[in-house]
Amino acid sequence: MPTECHPAADSPVTADRLPLRRRLVPVVALLLLAPWAAECSWGGFTLEDFLPVVLILGPMYGGAAILIRETARHLGAGWPAIVLLAAAFGVLQAGLVDQSLFNPGYLDDTEYADTRAAAEATLVPGLGFSVRQAFDYVGNHITLTICAPIVIVESFLGRNRRLRPWLRRPGLVVVGVIYLLGSLLIFSDSGRKDFLASPLQLTFAAAVVLALVALALLPRWRHPNPRRARRVPGPIWVGLVVVLVHLGTDLTPGWPGMAVALALAAGTGGLIAYWSSRAGWGQRHVLVAGSGSLVSAAAFAYLVPPYSPASPAAALAGDVAVSVVTVVLIGGAWWRLRRTSPAVHVRAS
């Protein structure tokens, strides 16, 4: 993902001058959107479950998205830092909170019990986790739980507020407490499904989280590189590449499939980083690059079952609702950018 810096043309107006109600609108929006994107956007739940999912998982998923976004914006860093912090959250969530990464029977009581054999085809000896599942769990947290919600909410904001912090220290403390309480709820026996990872597994996950956080906080992400003169492709082409690559990461099983998936993910990340350093890269490009995974998830929702058994009519209603919400969110953000930022360019590093 690209890194933006504050546009030079921004007015001196800061978020602190806005009424509290206006400052909290994007915070609440991100708090609600993150859990929906993480668990509902790909067809995991039927329509009647959307509200309970958002309310129960909002403190954990939404709290993490807010803390990650605010950390990056307070530091003056951009999307590389956000992506790395999102990866740290993905490992933290799957490795230490619900521990699904190490629990071979985590999906046995769902409609995805038949995926266990495919996951075990890429098992890491000694550590007892599947590389396939790690790629899916952490990758989905990066793209769906954190990046897509942040980029959509920021795209609805004007240039003055898009890249600025929304919360001061007291607000961050409140969100941090909300996140911890939400995580403790999932860490309970029901959230972990009575499974507890071994000390070696927990130590490994914690070490990976700390390494990713340390990498995300490096000063290099706060210094933009000079712009390259070559023009960037149109936003639609950028989004098309993201969608096609996302669809291609799960075509081949086993270790060969993982090699393909990792190569595609790395190649796409490098390509977007290269494009984002060119002249003309703007918030519309950021929007399609960041929300392409959400489009792919919504399209695949028609092909996968929800976690719990549901009637065909209920499953279809949920999938249609996912499509409508996705179109409204991304279409609304695009329309908002056309009205408020017709020629905004942002620097990248």
Side-chain angles (χ1 to χ4, degrees), residues 6-18 158-164:
H6 301 304
D10 274 356
S11 70
V13 177
T14 66
D16 292 342
R17 300 183 184 180
L18 294 172
R159 295 177 63 190
N160 297 336
R161 302 173 63 197
R162 184 176 302 142
L163 305 180
R164 298 183 185 277

Side-chain angles (χ1 to χ4, degrees), residues 206-280:
V208 173
V209 170
L210 292 175
L212 288 169
V213 170
L215 187 59
L217 298 181
L218 289 177
R220 64 170 300 175
W221 309 126
R222 308 171 203 176
H223 304 291
N225 293 328
R227 304 290 297 183
R228 293 185 175 91
R230 298 187 63 182
R231 301 292 296 179
V232 69
I236 300 302
W237 292 107
V238 175
L240 183 61
V241 168
V242 173
V243 170
L244 291 177
V245 168
H246 185 79
L247 298 179
T249 56
D250 197 25
L251 293 179
T252 307
W255 288 107
M258 282 314 308
V260 171
L262 290 171
L264 286 174
T268 305
L271 184 60
I272 291 177
Y274 173 70
W275 278 341
S276 68
S277 67
R278 291 184 176 187

Side-chain angles (χ1 to χ4, degrees), residues 296-312:
S296 301
F300 263 96
Y302 293 92
L303 304 178
V304 299
Y307 280 121
S308 300
S311 67

